[in-house]
Amino acid sequence: MHFNGKRILLGVSGGIACYKAVELARRLVTAGAQVKVVMTKGAQEFVTPLTFAAITGQTVGTGLFGPGIHPLEHIWLGQQVDALILAPATANLIGKFAAGIGDDLLTTILLAATRPVLLCPAMNCEMYANPVVQENLARLEHRGVTVLRPGVGPLACGAVGYGRLPEVEDMLAALSRLVSPQDLAGRHLLVTAGPTHEDLDPVRFLTNRSSGKMGYAVAKAAWRRGAEVTLVSGPTALPPPYGVEVVQVRAALELLAVLRERFPTADALIMAAAVSDYRPESLASTKLKRGSRAQELRLVQNPDIVKELAALKTHQVLVGFAAETGDLLAEGRRKLEEKNLDLIVANEVNRPDAGFAVDTNEVTLIPREGEPLALPLMSKDEVAERLLDWLAERLGGREAQGG
Ligand code: PMT
């Protein structure tokens, strides 16, 4: 997990969203982080330090002075961690941070902090919209603080608007980027995922078993490692990954149209989507009726998308996947050649723990140059990391093209 052994300082200021910080602390600890919580006086009115101490197994910072408090704690706490996260960050905390005021433990830690800070505001929507709060946030962003803009929705005060603390999942994703090596920074990756739906009539379509999990895992990991990521996704039940631009498509021809547009400025294309090789010859405008005789379904071939894009290649690295039920290596190599790819990730799709719709996969990375690498069964998240290790090295010496 990306937080394994990472030291995180969680600063909690006084708002009703404090209870969500408890869940955040728990998730960080579960993910392997060592979490030091520092609470403002206001936060202690909402949740007791004991709650955080029980969850993190560490003493909770509550003030600058008092028995057992090291006189230099306010200096080194923000320097010895891997990252700081302020959640929830009230308008008051944001104002003090922006103005350089240090009048309690948390604000003095922020003054002396040298590590990356993720700030997650949560407040009433009018307060959030106040120009002074917006100016303070802009000032902090300008100074290198990462601000996770609040979500929109019903607030504790009864109003509906911007001000909700971001979802725990999003805070974890944004924080994981701050503590990860940025070996794909400055790169633009195009990733495809999921199945295509090839419509037959207004209610029926041809598709396959792809859930999108493999491609989404690649997109998430690439963003965490610093890339700008565009995920072109067929229909899936997965939530959009935080930070990633998601373009939804249905059919192979739509996928091709989007990729053609985005390909010229990408540094790499990773085709994890399971694209239908065929589509119905015609699309019925009304629902096909049941008749007395068998129906004949005529299909035409879809373009080989990745092969078409390979023909347009100027500088891009092209990675395909090969869904196989036979000889993984031979078939993988054949597709690598035929489609003119730089790497193919071959996976067996006729076993229960790999391929379609499961959380694990067993793949062989087959590069155009060099030896194939057979990886053991692992989570799709880990497969994504290994694939991106190869890509980061491959892109390593090259100039980023930008978007
Ligand atoms: O989505 P999941 O449930 O997590 O499952 C993951 C997966 C099994 C779908 C994934 O790991 C995978 O193997 N994706 C590729 C599936 C596939 O279409 O394989 P293929 O061997 O038929 O095609 C080879 C390559 O050509 C693929 O990169 C494919 O995207 C591409 N292709 C295929 C057909 C087509 N008309 N155009 C293409 O570009």
Side-chain angles (χ1 to χ4, degrees), residues 50-359:
L50 184 62
T51 307
F52 283 109
I55 281 177
T56 62
Q58 294 202 38
T59 54
V60 172
T62 53
L64 272 167
F65 312 106
I69 294 177
H70 191 283
L72 293 181
E73 204 176 52
H74 65 290
I75 304 290
W76 48 255
L77 272 179
Q79 300 175 356
Q80 292 185 344
V81 289
D82 292 288
L84 297 86
I85 174 167
L86 305 173
T90 59
N92 186 46
L93 179 68
I94 293 166
K96 286 188 196 172
F97 188 15
I101 294 169
D103 64 354
D104 65 3
L105 180 59
L106 184 55
T107 48
T108 45
I109 286 172
L110 289 173
L111 275 173
T114 52
R115 310 300 300 156
V117 180
L118 176 66
L119 189 149
C120 309
M123 64 197 74
N124 160 267
C125 51
E126 300 300 344
M127 231 185 242
Y128 179 67
N130 191 313
V132 76
V133 173
Q134 292 303 316
E135 277 165 30
N136 286 336
L137 288 172
R139 235 194 303 171
L140 288 167
E141 278 179 318
H142 183 70
R143 287 186 212 146
V145 172
T146 304
V147 176
L148 201 54
R149 295 285 167 175
V152 68
L155 304 170
C157 56
V160 176
Y162 285 94
R164 279 168 74 93
L165 187 69
E167 296 302 322
V168 170
E169 216 55 58
D170 292 348
M171 291 192 281
L172 288 171
L175 188 61
S176 70
R177 179 156 154 139
L178 292 188
V179 298
S180 298
Q182 300 293 283
D183 56 357
L184 290 171
R187 306 294 180 185
H188 178 209
L189 264 57
L190 258 181
V191 181
T192 70
T196 58
H197 284 187
E198 308 295 334
D199 289 333
L200 205 57
D201 71 10
V203 297
R204 302 183 181 96
F205 50 84
L206 297 177
T207 190
N208 57 64
R209 289 173 44 222
S210 171
S211 63
K213 287 181 179 188
M214 191 62 249
Y216 276 58
V218 173
K220 259 191 240 178
W223 182 80
R224 195 176 43 71
R225 291 168 70 152
E228 177 200 339
V229 182
T230 302
L231 172 64
V232 190
S233 173
T236 75
L238 303 175
Y242 182 79
V244 168
E245 181 201 13
V246 182
V247 182
Q248 301 281 356
V249 295
R250 264 178 77 76
L253 292 179
E254 269 178 82
L255 178 60
L256 176 61
V258 173
L259 292 178
R260 269 180 184 278
E261 200 184 301
R262 305 301 186 99
F263 187 65
T265 54
D267 291 291
L269 167 66
I270 300 172
M271 282 289 291
V275 183
S276 175
D277 281 317
Y278 294 91
R279 66 178 185 278
E281 188 179 56
S282 58
L283 168 62
S285 57
T286 54
K287 187 181 166 205
L288 297 171
K289 292 271 182 277
R290 184 188 173 91
S292 54
R293 285 188 299 141
Q295 279 268 8
E296 192 171 287
L297 183 59
R298 292 191 66 82
L299 302 175
V300 291
Q301 234 175 31
N302 268 329
D304 186 329
I305 295 178
V306 79
K307 191 173 171 180
E308 281 207 11
L309 292 165
L312 305 173
K313 168 175 165 156
T314 50
H315 59 278
Q316 298 84 350
V317 176
L318 269 85
V319 177
F321 274 70
E324 296 306 330
T325 52
D327 187 338
L328 212 58
L329 214 51
E331 273 306 292
R333 277 201 173 112
R334 186 185 64 75
K335 287 183 180 170
L336 178 88
E337 288 299 329
E338 185 190 303
K339 294 171 190 264
N340 196 16
L341 304 172
D342 297 294
L343 177 81
I344 199 151
V345 183
N347 46 188
E348 265 185 50
V349 292
N350 57 351
R351 29 187 290 193
D353 54 359
F356 289 101
V358 287
D359 290 328

